[in-house]
Amino acid sequence: MTDAHTAGPFIAAIDQGTTSSRCIVFDRDGRIVSVDQKEHEQIFPKPGWVEHNAIEIWTNVQEVVAGAIEKAGITRDDIKAIGITNQRETTVLWDKNTGEPVHNAIVWQDTRTDALCRELGRNVGQDRFRRETGLPLASYFAGPKARWLLDNVEGLKERAEAGDILFGTMDTWVIWNLTGGVNGGHHVTDVTNASRTLLMNLHTMQWDEKIAESIGVPLAMLPEIRSSSEVYGEITGGKLGDLLGGIPVASALGDQQAALFGQTCFSEGETKSTYGTGTFMVMNTGDKIINSYSGLLTTVGYQIGGQAPVYALEGSIAITGALVQWMRDQMGLISTAAEIETLALTVEDNGGAYFVPAFSGLFAPYWRSDARGVIAGLTRYVTKAHMARAVLEATAWQTREIADAMTKDSGVELTALKVDGGMTANNLLMQTLSDVLDAPVVRPLVAETTCLGAAYAAGLAVGFWNSTDDLRANWRRAAEWTPRMDAAVRDREYKNWLKAVERTMGWLDDDDS
Ligand SMILES: Nc1ncnc2c1ncn2[C@@H]1O[C@H](COP(=O)(O)OP(=O)(O)O)[C@@H](O)[C@H]1O
Ligand SMILES: O=P(O)(O)OC[C@H](O)CO
């Protein structure tokens, strides 16, 4: 409920994430007024495949928006704009005449396009994709997922060629539905989401015709690419039409870029790392497109209206919080995510065990789709508590590898890391992270920086906030962890971690699909 400290008006933000959709209402100081959240089903049809039901997601989005508005005790007139942030790369194709998805959405972690990517690499060459799109050719990205759907859903290619099928990442799907769906919904995406498709040229900020043709995705299916902070349309569609009709839909940012924005990393060199299902470290590189030689991605950080785009370097880790979920749901070793910390604290160390969760291959800095998960160093001494330690350490060491790559590519030493996301509730993990990075780790007061970034970008678009300086003034430190680990221990543990990583590689053969 609102109180004297949170007087309106407000901005709402939707975060359509990998595990859940949530809506948060913020006040002008960037404080949370209300939150509503709902998990959706994770569908695993085969090893390495991960799908979501896009209709379930749209239903949940409507419910959480209505829920957050109700919990805040406010009405349409109190909300000045709504922003969207989303899990990136997850791909849905739908019929523009019926609004029906043609298949479940293929999630970013899904590896079914490995073989297709290898084939594209042989035919077109890796370098061309890196040069034009900033990305390595990998199953992570959206373009090959769209091509897989066109090849595997009967009759789809013909329907796409006839102009009846629309492509979207989850920002596009949600905005199209929010702004009217089959009754004139806006088919748009923003530069940050488009930069994750392998289809957008980083230099022109437009779809690259030749690359789209080589991947086999018709341009007619693709949404219009817009900035991250502008009015795309108004809420008119679905159940929300009655509740919030007329509210401007005024931002879209991939969730990791939204977190960069929410952490107010507006200056070149500023870096944040978000700990959710996966972990994503992003550094603002200003107007520079830095080509990575160390396995990072070159991507778009954000673009505010007609201003020049701001670029970024990103280290993407596929599995961090998802490993905790796996320990809970698949292994049954804990009953809540938070229990991983309680269990880990019952022992002093990892007992010699190292867990490399290469469940979707290895992302940055390796980009090895042939890798699979490994637990190394097992002896009869190892207990489930040591495993819990190894699970948390896996997140910390994966971050360390990305931080090293970032320093190499940018020349900028990491002096402190701003963190956010669900896993930052884990104090042991945050201390371990500071220990392995040998740098302070800082968490802001509003840990929901992803939603906050989307709210900020929407608020800027409608004049709710005037400038990024207004936003910086809202950032407040809540907690900080400083390194305590002995350097010799750190070096030994890092060496062991790297040996374990080595053992994940080459598990899949070239002809494994
Ligand atoms: N106390 C905790 N310790 C470790 N991991 C946690 C904790 N709480 C949540 N998580 C993990 O964080 C993830 C959820 O974080 P969130 O930021 O909501 O993710 P996403 O945005 O990817 O859906 C889950 O994978 C969960 O396992
Ligand atoms: O939903 P999250 O927070 O796990 O983020 C997913 C990323 O956007 C994938 O690139």
Side-chain angles (χ1 to χ4, degrees), residues 15-19 86-89 108-109 140 196 254-256 274 276-278 280 314 316 363 450:
D15 177 3
Q16 199 305 288
T18 310
T19 42
N86 55 289
Q87 54 167 324
R88 305 163 304 168
E89 300 96 12
W108 56 278
Q109 295 158 325
Y140 177 26
R196 319 295 298 190
D255 52 10
Q256 303 311 319
T274 300
T277 310
F280 303 86
E314 174 176 314
S316 329
F363 282 18
T450 301

Side-chain angles (χ1 to χ4, degrees), residues 25 45 50 95 98 136 224 234 321 343 371-372 375 384 391 410 443 461 489 493 510:
V25 175
V50 189
D95 187 318
T98 63
E224 187 187 345
E234 291 177 349
L343 182 59
R372 284 298 178 268
I375 305 173
K384 66 178 183 175
V391 161
S410 67
R443 191 177 63 202
V489 175
E493 288 298 301
D510 231 23

Side-chain angles (χ1 to χ4, degrees), residues 108-394:
W108 56 278
Q109 295 158 325
D110 189 293
T111 56
R112 79 186 65 184
T113 58
D114 275 351
L116 172 62
C117 290
R118 284 199 296 268
E119 187 194 318
L120 285 167
R122 279 192 299 271
N123 298 345
V124 187
Q126 278 276 357
D127 288 353
R128 172 128 169 267
F129 288 96
R130 265 250 183 228
R131 209 172 43 238
E132 309 299 352
T133 70
L135 307 175
L137 196 49
S139 58
Y140 177 26
F141 304 108
K145 297 183 197 292
R147 160 74 187 273
W148 187 93
L149 288 166
L150 289 167
D151 285 349
N152 289 279
V153 177
E154 210 186 321
L156 191 59
K157 232 183 230 156
E158 294 70 32
R159 286 162 71 196
E161 276 156 12
D164 288 331
I165 301 298
L166 300 180
F167 160 96
T169 39
M170 298 321 277
D171 54 319
T172 303
W173 169 243
V174 170
I175 294 173
W176 186 80
N177 279 296
L178 273 179
T179 59
V182 290
N183 302 310
H186 295 270
H187 189 220
V188 297
T189 188
D190 91 300
V191 286
T192 67
N193 278 293
S195 77
R196 319 295 298 190
T197 57
L198 269 173
L199 300 169
M200 189 187 84
N201 191 306
L202 263 193
H203 308 268
T204 62
M205 296 295 207
Q206 293 302 324
W207 301 122
D208 186 307
E209 268 182 55
K210 290 208 174 103
I211 287 199
E213 193 187 331
S214 63
I215 297 185
V217 175
L219 287 181
M221 291 170 67
L222 301 179
E224 187 187 345
I225 302 176
R226 307 272 286 268
S227 83
S228 322
S229 170
E230 64 174 78
V231 176
Y232 311 117
E234 291 177 349
I235 294 186
T236 51
K239 292 179 206 150
L240 294 176
D242 295 335
L243 187 67
L244 294 174
I247 301 237
V249 181
S251 74
L253 288 148
D255 52 10
Q256 303 311 319
Q257 286 90 340
L260 186 76
F261 212 83
Q263 289 269 25
T264 67
C265 293
F266 299 129
S267 300
E268 200 174 319
E270 284 190 284
T271 306
K272 71 85 208 181
S273 196
T274 300
Y275 293 85
T277 310
T279 286
F280 303 86
M281 192 189 284
V282 183
M283 175 188 280
N284 179 325
T285 64
D287 57 3
K288 295 184 190 66
I289 299 180
I290 297 184
N291 292 319
S292 175
Y293 296 98
S294 313
L296 302 177
L297 308 180
T298 311
T299 193
V300 182
Y302 54 88
Q303 183 185 22
I304 303 173
Q307 297 176 21
V310 170
Y311 293 94
L313 268 178
E314 174 176 314
S316 329
I317 307 169
I319 305 286
T320 53
L323 181 57
V324 176
Q325 274 176 297
W326 182 84
M327 290 283 280
R328 183 192 64 187
D329 302 339
Q330 256 95 328
M331 294 293 109
L333 291 174
I334 47 175
S335 53
T336 64
E339 249 180 50
I340 195 90
E341 183 173 7
T342 325
L343 182 59
L345 281 169
T346 62
V347 288
E348 290 287 307
D349 57 29
N350 59 22
Y354 300 84
F355 196 154
V356 188
F359 295 170
S360 304
L362 284 170
F363 282 18
Y366 300 102
W367 299 106
R368 289 285 298 258
S369 54
D370 61 333
R372 284 298 178 268
V374 152
I375 305 173
L378 288 181
T379 61
R380 283 192 70 183
Y381 174 73
V382 172
T383 64
K384 66 178 183 175
H386 294 121
M387 290 300 305
R389 281 257 170 192
V391 161
L392 297 179
E393 289 174 5

